[in-house]
Amino acid sequence: MEEILAALPRQQHPDLLVGMETADDAGVYRLSSEIALIQTVDFFTPIVNDPYLFGQIAAANALSDVYAMGGRPLTAMNILCVSLKMVAKEDLAAILRGGIDKIHEAGALLVGGHSVEDQELKYGLSVTGIVHPDRILTNAGAQVGDSLILTKPLGTGVLATASKGRLASPAVEQQAADLMRTLNRIPDDVLASGTIHAATDITGFGFLGHALEMAKGSQVVLTVFASQVPVLAAALEFAAMGLIPAGSFANRRFCEHHLQVSSGVKPLLLDLLSDTQTNGGLLLAVAPAAAPHIVRRFQEEGLAATAIVGAVTAPGPGVIRVEP
Amino acid sequence: MSETVDARGLSCPQPVLLALAAMKKLDKGELTVLVDTDTSKENVLRAAASQGWQEAGVEEKAGSYQIRLSKG
């Protein structure tokens, strides 16, 4: 896909602040010296059986890209691919109810949408948000000395595979769904403090894949301490049983040449570091003095697993070092 | 006891579930698992390690893997 996109004509415009070139989470366009527009779109096939939960997760996931740019979502549009012959009306209603509930929780409004006939159900949102042009967070701002913070535990990809094999208990499935439907909202006071230098959200490419985008975008070396990275206990168990999704192996291969792994790192933790996530947490590079306070603020807002997981340790061509 | 599980053509996580069921049934001995993706190969090897089975060799042939496992 990267290759196909690279073949498109390059666009330059004085008000295009974040375009297609940087593997960032959303596009940003300056409307005035005070306001820039953030636009993003994301939709996917069901990852949980409960239609209401699926709607919530899909919406939270689409909204996440606005938060990862330091923005505030304003409006959203539904995107729905469905065959009414194959999906019960009440299930569809539950999906859309889940979506609008999440949109409202984010303080945004649903203003329309579009549906197409499709044998395979898909749902998501196009989201529009705003940010001050001087306070855009990208993956390119990490500075040597910054602390790295991750706001959600890893392992939802492994748990999805375990669910597919009917091995995950209802309690574990609920724990994963609760994580995936939790908004990635950055507390206002943390945003205003200006101490976040770079941000991205952890999704399909896994922690390592998205961290690598930050390392490359910022031209730095990130050092990650595997034992400090929050992971779901059940995911560790299932990874040991061999329930790792194909995407997680692909993520590892993709990062391989930019990865330096110390010998003491537990192989299973490395599996979870590459695990493909749905609406995973934010990875933030922050001023080190502010890091403990930022961790506490995310914990107060409900993201209890938020932790400092490493640091930006050197300038460089985009490398991740993994230490025990 | 020895047994062969042919999990070729099955999508994840079926191959690993079949392999785990066979390990449980055999308890010990020799087990051969046939899979046709890298993902299944990696996952079957992890499953084996978690159940105390040793890897006795992996052979790649015409796009599929023959994984030989043993437990004494």
Side-chain angles (χ1 to χ4, degrees):
Chain A
M1 182 54 79
E2 220 172 312
E3 201 180 313
I4 297 170
L5 291 176
L8 293 175
R10 288 184 81 84
Q11 307 170 111
Q12 284 197 323
H13 188 282
D15 291 316
L16 178 61
L17 303 181
V18 180
M20 296 178 11
E21 291 79 15
T22 59
D24 249 302
D25 301 299
V28 186
Y29 184 91
R30 181 170 47 213
L31 296 176
S32 71
S33 59
E34 296 286 312
I35 299 176
L37 192 69
I38 305 177
Q39 288 180 289
T40 181
V41 56
D42 208 337
F43 60 110
F44 47 56
T45 56
I47 35 152
V48 291
N49 291 325
D50 182 299
Y52 178 75
L53 279 181
F54 170 53
Q56 283 200 311
I57 292 167
N61 177 66
L63 288 157
S64 177
D65 287 331
V66 173
Y67 292 128
M69 303 303 291
R72 183 160 66 89
L74 291 183
T75 57
M77 309 263 257
N78 279 331
I79 295 168
L80 182 65
C81 308
V82 68
S83 163
L84 283 171
K85 288 182 207 117
M86 297 170 75
V87 179
K89 251 190 193 163
E90 54 268 30
D91 286 347
L92 197 51
I95 292 172
L96 298 182
R97 165 59 61 184
I100 199 170
D101 282 357
K102 239 345 127 175
I103 293 166
H104 288 168
E105 185 187 331
L109 295 170
L110 179 69
V111 294
H114 186 73
S115 64
V116 293
E117 178 83 17
D118 194 334
Q119 300 300 309
E120 190 182 37
L121 177 68
K122 300 174 192 81
Y123 172 67
L125 302 177
S126 154
V127 185
T128 301
I130 52 169
V131 63
H132 191 288
D134 299 336
R135 293 196 205 115
I136 300 166
L137 298 177
T138 68
N139 58 26
Q143 300 168 16
V144 174
D146 280 354
S147 296
L148 296 174
I149 291 174
L150 177 65
T151 65
K152 288 183 189 176
L154 302 175
T156 57
V158 169
L159 290 187
T161 308
S163 289
K164 236 161 103 184
R166 299 175 189 280
L167 293 172
S169 68
V172 164
E173 284 184 348
Q174 187 65 46
Q175 186 191 14
D178 283 344
L179 264 181
M180 293 189 285
R181 68 176 168 161
T182 300
L183 291 176
N184 273 329
R185 182 162 39 202
I186 302 173
D188 285 340
D189 54 303
V190 174
L191 267 182
S193 71
T195 49
I196 302 177
H197 297 152
T200 190
D201 58 347
I202 308 299
T203 54
F205 296 139
F207 176 88
L208 289 179
H210 292 285
L212 182 59
E213 282 175 352
M214 182 180 281
K216 283 181 174 174
S218 305
Q219 287 292 289
V220 292
V221 175
L222 304 183
T223 299
V224 176
F225 297 100
S227 58
Q228 290 174 23
V229 176
V231 296
L232 292 164
L236 262 184
E237 264 173 57
F238 288 126
M241 279 174 66
L243 294 166
I244 298 164
S248 304
F249 289 112
N251 287 341
R252 170 85 67 82
R253 281 195 296 276
F254 180 79
C255 298
E256 225 159 39
H257 299 299
H258 308 273
L259 210 54
Q260 298 170 0
V261 182
S262 286
S263 54
V265 177
K266 288 187 189 143
L268 281 178
L269 283 181
L270 211 51
D271 286 338
L272 288 186
L273 284 174
S274 9
D275 190 37
T276 177
Q277 304 294 287
T278 301
N279 195 31
L282 294 173
L283 173 64
L284 307 171
V286 309
H293 175 72
I294 294 174
V295 167
R296 207 157 50 239
R297 287 293 295 117
F298 273 99
Q299 288 172 342
E300 284 165 4
E301 298 293 323
L303 290 166
T306 303
I308 298 173
V309 299
V312 183
T313 44
V319 168
I320 301 176
R321 284 194 194 128
V322 185
E323 301 286 338
Chain B
M1 289 286 284
S2 91
E3 189 172 318
T4 297
V5 170
D6 186 353
R8 289 174 297 181
L10 299 176
S11 65
C12 259
Q14 287 312 315
V16 83
L17 295 182
L18 291 176
L20 280 166
M23 286 177 225
K24 200 172 170 192
K25 196 180 89 184
L26 286 172
D27 188 37
K28 58 186 178 179
E30 282 169 19
L31 174 65
T32 302
V33 185
L34 306 174
V35 297
D36 54 9
T37 66
D38 286 331
T39 299
S40 293
K41 181 194 70 174
E42 290 291 330
N43 275 327
V44 167
L45 289 174
R46 280 169 177 72
S50 76
Q51 305 301 310
W53 287 68
Q54 311 287 326
E55 178 188 333
V58 178
E59 267 179 65
E60 191 182 352
K61 226 191 296 180
S64 63
Y65 297 98
Q66 186 184 54
I67 305 165
R68 287 186 296 119
L69 304 167
S70 69
K71 188 174 175 181

